[in-house]
C-alpha cells in the first residue's frame, strides 16, 4: 500500500494556480463557460493527488462525497425551475409584477427590493427560496420599471442573504454555531452587530443609486402599457398570490424546503390549468422546458420566457464539476494544507478574524460550496480562537460574515450558479451591486482589529470547555481501546 504524503504548500498551490490559469484563459480570453476550465483543474488536482499517494478509488470516493453534499441544492434548483415555469403559466408571477408596478417606483425600488427579500428570506430561512419566489417577481418589476437588471439582482441577493443569515430556520445559521459549540440564538444575536449595519449601509447606497437612475427609468405610459399586456395575456387577480403565501407559510412552519417547493410547483400547475386554461399536456411540458410566450414587447418576452428543469441543467452540471474539484482537494489534504498555511499568519485577534474571512472566501472559490466554506474553517480554527481566549461565537459569526455572504459572488460556487440560473443575470454582472456580500466581511475585519463587539471567554467558560474536551478525549481513548481488544 502506497504511503500517502502530506502536501507541502508549494504542491498544494499547483491545482489552485492551474484553476486560476484555466478559468482566466477560458472565461476572459475565449469567453467560454467555466465547465471545461474547472474540469481541467480537477484533472490537474487528480494528478497531484496521485503523486501524493492517493488512488483513483480514494479520489472517486471524495468526489462522490462532495457531490452528495450538493445533492439537496441540485434538487432544489431543479424544483425551482418547475416553480418558475408553472408560476408564470398560472399568472402568479405576472400578478406579482402587475401589482408591484403600481406600488413601487424607481426612486426607492432597490432599497425596497432588498428589504422585501430579506423579510421573505427570514420567514423561509432560505436565500434560494426567497430568490426563486419573490426574487423572480422583483426582477420582473424592475425590468418593467426600466431599472438595470444587474442592480436589481444585486439588491435581491443582498436581501435574500441577510434574511438567510439571521433566520433561525436557515441551515447555515444552524451549521455555524453547531460546528463551534455556540447556542443558536446567542449566535444570531452576536451576528446582528455586523449584519444590521451592513444592511443599513447597503440600503442607503441603494437609495442613492435609485435617485441617480430615476431619469432613465420607464415612464408611466410604458408601465401602463406593460400592465395592459399582462392583463391581456393572463387573468390577473390578487387571489393568485395565495399560492406563494401558502408555500412561504409551509416553509416558515419548518416544512423542509424541498417538499415545500414541490407543493408550490404542484399548486402552480393546478392554478395554470383551472384559472388560466392551460392544457395538462402543456403544463407537463412547461415544467420541463419552461414557459414560452412570444409578444411584440421585448421586455415582456424576457419576463415570460423562463423556467423549466431543462434550463437548470447548465447550472447543475457546473455545480457537479465544481464540487468534484473541491472533493479531490479535500480528500488529498490540499485544502487542509492551504488553511493551515493561512492560520500561521494569525498573530493578533484582528489578523485571526481577517484570516478566517480570507479562508472562508478561499473555500468558496476553491471548494465551490457554501457549506464547506463554513465547515472547513469552523473545524480548523476553533482551537486558535480558544488560545486567544476569544468566545467561539466570534468564530461562528465570522464564518457567516464571510462564508455565507461571499458564496453568491463566485460563478461556479453552488450559490453563485443558483442565483445566475434563477435571476437570469450573470455573477460578474450582479456582483458589484450585491453590496451586503462585500460589506459584511469588511465590517467583520474592522471589528476584529478595533476589538469592537469582540467577546472574550471568561475563566469559568475556559474551565468548562477544558473539562468537556478532556471528557471527549477520554471517551475517544476508551473507544480505541475497545476496538484494539476486538481485533
Amino acid at each position: 500500500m502506497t504511503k500517502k504524503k502530506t502536501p507541502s504548500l508549494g504542491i498544494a498551490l499547483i491545482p489552485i494556480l492551474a484553476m486560476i490559469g484555466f478559468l482566466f484563459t477560458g472565461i476572459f480570453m475565449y469567453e467560454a463557460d467555466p465547465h471545461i476550465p474547472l474540469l481541467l483543474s480537477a484533472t490537474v488536482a487528480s494528478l497531484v493527488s496521485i503523486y501524493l499517494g492517493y488512488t483513483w478509488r480514494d479520489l472517486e470516493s471524495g468526489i462522490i462525497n462532495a457531490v452528495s453534499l450538493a445533492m439537496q441544492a441540485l434538487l432544489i434548483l431543479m424544483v425551482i425551475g418547475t416553480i418558475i415555469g408553472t408560476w408564470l403559466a398560472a399568472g402568479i408571477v405576472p400578478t406579482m409584477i402587475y401589482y408591484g408596478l403600481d406600488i413601487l417606483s424607481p426612486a426607492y425600488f432597490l432599497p425596497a427590493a432588498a428589504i422585501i427579500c430579506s423579510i421573505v428570506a427570514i420567514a423561509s430561512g432560505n436565500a434560494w427560496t426567497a430568490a426563486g419566489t419573490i426574487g423572480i417577481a422583483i426582477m420582473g418589476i424592475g425590468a418593467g420599471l426600466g431599472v438595470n437588471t444587474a442592480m436589481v439582482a444585486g439588491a435581491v441577493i443582498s436581501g435574500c442573504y441577510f434574511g438567510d443569515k439571521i433566520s433561525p430556520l436557515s441551515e447555515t445559521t444552524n451549521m455555524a454555531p453547531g460546528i463551534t459549540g455556540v447556542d443558536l440564538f446567542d449566535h444570531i444575536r452576536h451576528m446582528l452587530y455586523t449584519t444590521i449595519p451592513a444592511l443599513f449601509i447597503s440600503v442607503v447606497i441603494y437609495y442613492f443609486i435609485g435617485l441617480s437612475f430615476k431619469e432613465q427609468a420607464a415612464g408611466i405610459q410604458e408601465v401602463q402599457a406593460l400592465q395592459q399586456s399582462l392583463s391581456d395575456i393572463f387573468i390577473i387577480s390578487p387571489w393568485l398570490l395565495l399560492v406563494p403565501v401558502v408555500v412561504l407559510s409551509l416553509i416558515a412552519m419548518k416544512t423542509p424546503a424541498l417538499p415545500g417547493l414541490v407543493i408550490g410547483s404542484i399548486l402552480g400547475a393546478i392554478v395554470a390549468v383551472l384559472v388560466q386554461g392551460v392544457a395538462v399536456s402543456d403544463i407537463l411540458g412547461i415544467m420541463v422546458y419552461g414557459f414560452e410566450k412570444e409578444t411584440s414587447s421585448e421586455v415582456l418576452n424576457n419576463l415570460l420566457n423562463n423556467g423549466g428543469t431543462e434550463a437548470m441543467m447548465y447550472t447543475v452540471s457546473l455545480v457537479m464539476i465544481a464540487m468534484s474539484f473541491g472533493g479531490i482537494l479535500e480528500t488529498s489534504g490540499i485544502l487542509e494544507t492551504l488553511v493551515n498555511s493561512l492560520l500561521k499568519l494569525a498573530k493578533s485577534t484582528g489578523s485571526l478574524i481577517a484570516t478566517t474571512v480570507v479562508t472562508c472566501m478561499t473555500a468558496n472559490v476553491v471548494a465551490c460550496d457554501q457549506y464547506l466554506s463554513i465547515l472547513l474553517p469552523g473545524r480548523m480554527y476553533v482551537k486558535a480562537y480558544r488560545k486567544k481566549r476569544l468566545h467561539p461565537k466570534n468564530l461562528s459569526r465570522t464564518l457567516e460574515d464571510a462564508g455565507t455572504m461571499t458564496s453568491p459572488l463566485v460563478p461556479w460556487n453552488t450559490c453563485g450558479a443558483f442565483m445566475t440560473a434563477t435571476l437570469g443575470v450573470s455573477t460578474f454582472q450582479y456582483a458589484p451591486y450585491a453590496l451586503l456580500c462585500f460589506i459584511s466581511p469588511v465590517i467583520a475585519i474592522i471589528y476584529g482589529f478595533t476589538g469592537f463587539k469582540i467577546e472574550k471567554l471568561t475563566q469559568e467558560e475556559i474551565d468548562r470547555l477544558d473539562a468537556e474536551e478532556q471528557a471527549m478525549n477520554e471517551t475517544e481513548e476508551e473507544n480505541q481501546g475497545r476496538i484494539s481488544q476486538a481485533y
Side-chain angles (χ1 to χ4, degrees), residues 361-405:
M361 294 170 68
T362 302
N364 268 322
V365 173
V366 176
C368 313
D369 183 69
Q370 178 190 50
Y371 294 145
L372 289 176
S373 74
I374 293 172
L375 184 63
L376 291 173
R379 284 189 314 203
M380 304 182 108
Y381 286 1
V382 167
K383 291 184 179 178
Y385 277 70
R386 284 267 307 275
K387 285 180 182 178
K388 294 191 179 298
R389 300 176 69 93
L390 294 173
H391 197 286
K393 65 185 175 183
N394 297 301
L395 173 58
S396 65
R397 179 177 72 184
T398 306
L399 293 175
E400 292 231 65
D401 284 335
T404 300
M405 287 302 193

Side-chain angles (χ1 to χ4, degrees), residues 166-169 173-174 177 182-193 254 393 396:
I166 67 169
S167 173
L169 304 176
T173 306
N174 282 273
V182 177
D183 177 78
L184 172 62
F185 290 99
D186 283 347
H187 166 68
I188 292 173
R189 282 191 289 269
H190 203 54
M191 279 199 300
L192 294 178
Y193 293 122
K254 298 187 178 181
K393 65 185 175 183
S396 65

